[in-house]
């Protein structure tokens, strides 16, 4: 499934939210501790979309499409506290 939403990295969490319905303005779809992320790669996440794939310590992969993420790698590393 592909969802339109927002990837947020704050404090020690990676969170993906989408617009909610009714009184619920946003809905959290994914929430992981940054400490669970072992690595990431940038490139195609499917046949049509560029983006980022996070690989977790348990080998699970989280994929997010983004046209501009490759231009924000330095900010991403700072947010993950990897630099």
């Amino acid at each position: 499934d592909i969802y339109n939403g927002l990837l947020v990295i704050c404090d020690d969490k990676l969170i993906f939210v989408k617009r909610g319905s009714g009184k619920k303005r946003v809905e959290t779809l994914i929430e992981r501790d940054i400490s669970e992320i072992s690595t990431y790669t940038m490139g195609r996440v499917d046949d049509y979309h560029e983006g980022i794939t996070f690989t977790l310590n348990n080998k699970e992969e989280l994929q997010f499409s983004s046209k501009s993420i490759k231009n924000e790698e330095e900010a991403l590393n700072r947010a993950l506290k990897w630099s």
Side-chain angles (χ1 to χ4, degrees), residues 31-48:
E31 184 171 338
R32 295 288 194 276
D33 288 336
I34 289 176
S35 63
E36 293 181 60
I37 301 170
S38 62
T39 189
Y40 69 83
T41 55
M42 295 187 187
R44 291 215 176 267
V45 294
D46 64 17
D47 290 341
Y48 306 102

Side-chain angles (χ1 to χ4, degrees), residues 20-72:
S21 59
K23 290 183 180 181
K24 199 172 190 179
R25 293 171 99 55
V26 295
E27 181 180 347
T28 300
L29 295 178
I30 296 171
E31 184 171 338
R32 295 288 194 276
D33 288 336
I34 289 176
S35 63
E36 293 181 60
I37 301 170
S38 62
T39 189
Y40 69 83
T41 55
M42 295 187 187
R44 291 215 176 267
V45 294
D46 64 17
D47 290 341
Y48 306 102
H49 299 94
E50 293 287 323
I52 187 166
T53 301
F54 292 98
T55 304
L56 305 182
N57 296 329
N58 66 3
K59 305 301 182 209
E60 178 185 356
E61 290 186 338
L62 303 174
Q63 296 182 312
F64 302 95
S65 65
S66 172
K67 294 177 185 174
S68 62
I69 192 73
K70 64 184 171 202
N71 300 326
E72 301 297 331

